[in-house]
Amino acid sequence: MMNTFIGHSIDLMKAFSKDCDNCFNMKYSGYDFVTHKDNHSIFPLTDKDSGEIGDIQRLEDHALIQKTKPYLEDSVKAVEHINKAGSIEVYALGSMLLKLARQNGVKLLTEEVVELDRTASSQFKLSFETGASLETTDLLLASGPFIQQHAKSLGYDLPIYNIKQRKFVFKDTKQIIPRDMPFTIYADSQYLQWNPDEEKLMNEYEEYHWLLEEFPA
Ligand SMILES: Cc1cc2nc3c(=O)[nH]c(=O)nc-3n(C[C@H](O)[C@H](O)[C@H](O)COP(=O)(O)OP(=O)(O)OC[C@H]3O[C@@H](n4cnc5c(N)ncnc54)[C@H](O)[C@@H]3O)c2cc1C
């Protein structure tokens, strides 16, 4: 279901991009999932067969992987490439949509919601940091990482949780990564590599034990 939903969003963006002369720089560079394991089917066959995930190409020919993706390690065994993926400029898309919404009569109000309640007269009441409030019968909650917190105050428990992720940025001094490389995801679970001193330290303190455990793909 999620794939159908996302696929539909991509189709809408594609049509919009065509209408505005690719004003938000939509690129189909694809996503690559790579594995070091033999016979590791990254996406289950049933998904591929039903076309749920979209067009996926599996590459196992070592020489071909090295020729087309020379930036990958020699020991990579397979790459699964998702065609219907890539990148967009989110601010350009957002500004464009906002402009269109305004042209169609949308009034923009920028406020921080500090409280969400249900009321008898209308369905929802939003209280803002400034002390002002707004009542409405329709509410579209799109508060990203705070959505669960907001939904709970309205009596909903959504099956959503947040995962803290780290982002590392470093200079590609050897210029290994080409500018058009697809977004590449390592699909194998793994253990982090520590030096013996670090490993000893982590073994000594229980709160660090998790760093020695297997990490998911
Ligand atoms: C560093 C980084 C890189 C990412 N890269 C990618 C990528 O390459 N591809 C990809 O598909 N996804 C990527 N993501 C994930 C993607 O950005 C999110 O999945 C997406 O932005 C979620 O959209 P959203 O509209 O649900 O929430 P958000 O974009 O988080 O929007 C929520 C909005 O609600 C507002 N808000 C929250 N609480 C309140 C409140 N109390 N009152 C008023 N306003 C409030 C926030 O200010 C925010 O504007 C990345 C995320 C990060 C952090």
Side-chain angles (χ1 to χ4, degrees):
M1 198 183 99
M2 199 63 183
N3 291 315
T4 313
F5 178 62
I6 292 166
H8 181 57
S9 295
I10 295 173
D11 289 342
L12 290 174
M13 284 194 273
K14 194 177 171 184
F16 188 46
S17 142
K18 212 171 143 198
D19 286 349
C20 74
D21 207 14
N22 200 15
C23 60
F24 52 97
N25 204 10
M26 188 169 185
K27 281 190 211 153
Y28 277 87
S29 40
Y31 274 15
D32 275 349
F33 288 78
V34 301
T35 177
H36 273 108
K37 293 181 195 161
D38 277 319
N39 309 317
H40 178 188
S41 178
I42 300 163
F43 291 98
L45 266 177
T46 45
D47 283 349
K48 277 182 237 175
D49 290 345
S50 67
E52 270 268 296
I53 290 181
D55 195 7
I56 298 179
Q57 289 162 327
R58 185 171 169 93
L59 219 65
E60 285 177 339
D61 181 329
H62 184 255
L64 192 62
I65 294 176
Q66 276 308 300
K67 188 173 167 230
T68 53
K69 302 174 187 299
Y71 45 85
L72 290 182
E73 243 187 343
D74 223 23
S75 47
V76 162
K77 289 283 193 300
V79 178
E80 291 200 1
H81 181 81
I82 300 185
N83 287 319
K84 204 174 177 180
S87 63
I88 53 165
E89 282 175 20
V90 285
Y91 293 109
L93 175 63
S95 320
M96 198 61 173
L97 290 172
L98 203 53
K99 193 172 142 193
L100 282 176
R102 280 190 165 122
Q103 280 169 6
N104 284 282
V106 166
K107 223 175 107 188
L108 182 73
L109 197 67
T110 309
E111 295 276 6
E112 185 180 340
V113 179
V114 286
E115 218 176 300
L116 265 174
D117 296 299
R118 283 186 180 277
T119 62
S121 53
S122 64
Q123 275 209 301
F124 307 105
K125 182 179 174 201
L126 291 83
S127 305
F128 304 130
E129 204 198 11
T130 50
S133 65
L134 184 81
E135 294 202 9
T136 176
T137 50
D138 299 286
L139 175 71
L140 197 143
L141 260 188
S143 48
F146 302 97
I147 198 161
Q148 178 70 300
Q149 180 187 319
H150 290 147
K152 270 196 173 143
S153 58
L154 298 173
Y156 298 106
D157 189 16
L158 302 178
I160 288 176
Y161 55 92
N162 295 318
I163 301 174
K164 195 173 180 180
Q165 299 192 329
R166 302 261 187 254
K167 185 172 186 169
F168 295 92
V169 180
F170 53 89
K171 278 192 178 155
D172 179 21
T173 48
K174 293 187 181 170
Q175 302 199 329
I176 290 170
I177 309 290
R179 302 296 298 172
D180 59 352
M181 183 179 112
F183 184 46
T184 302
I185 298 134
Y186 191 53
D188 296 341
S189 52
Q190 62 188 308
Y191 291 91
L192 297 182
Q193 290 172 7
W194 304 107
N195 69 36
D197 286 344
E198 290 165 338
E199 209 171 312
K200 190 167 164 269
L201 182 86
M202 285 165 198
N203 264 315
E204 276 169 22
Y205 295 93
E206 209 182 325
E207 68 258 43
Y208 296 139
H209 282 184
W210 63 278
L211 287 165
L212 300 170
E213 287 165 11
E214 190 179 41
F215 280 75

